[in-house]
Amino acid sequence: MPRDTPATPPAQETVMAQHYAPRLHHRPRPQRPGLLFALVNGVAFGAHLLLASFAADLLATRIWGQTTIGMLALLAQGALLLLTAALYDRSAGARDDARKGDRDAS
């Protein structure tokens, strides 16, 4: 069936209104404590391993009685491991609590 409406000129068909599209606001990326945990302890382990391989005399140096630099470095590495594990556990618990609070609010 033919229409009685006049056809629009081709120049007007190609003109389209551009709509304003606001920028998306992304939430900041949460910190990744697992990456920090692995990085800090990996660097400490690597440094200790390099010292044990190439500076054994330095690590065998006695400081006080039977206490050597190597033993103190090993104790410091263990303390660092426990500290970063505790921080990782606390941040994971805080994230779990925040998620639980979001679920309860919905």
Side-chain angles (χ1 to χ4, degrees):
M1 253 201 234
R3 291 188 164 183
D4 294 329
T5 57
T8 56
Q12 289 181 356
E13 288 179 2
T14 58
V15 175
M16 297 178 70
Q18 293 182 358
H19 296 285
Y20 172 73
R23 291 186 177 193
L24 296 176
H25 295 284
H26 296 287
R27 290 185 303 170
R29 209 171 160 188
Q31 291 182 354
R32 299 180 63 186
L35 180 65
L36 182 64
F37 175 80
L39 183 69
V40 168
N41 288 297
V43 168
F45 178 72
H48 198 113
L49 192 63
L50 285 174
L51 283 172
S53 298
F54 298 109
D57 295 337
L58 173 69
L59 294 179
T61 304
R62 292 188 180 198
I63 295 177
W64 179 64
Q66 296 293 324
T67 306
T68 62
I69 292 176
M71 186 178 76
L72 290 178
L74 187 60
L75 288 173
Q77 184 179 351
L80 179 67
L81 178 70
L82 292 176
L83 175 70
T84 54
L87 291 174
Y88 177 75
D89 186 50
R90 184 187 332 169
S91 67
R95 279 182 299 179
D96 290 343
D97 291 343
R99 286 182 192 153
K100 192 181 291 184
D102 289 344
R103 277 189 245 140
D104 292 342
S106 318

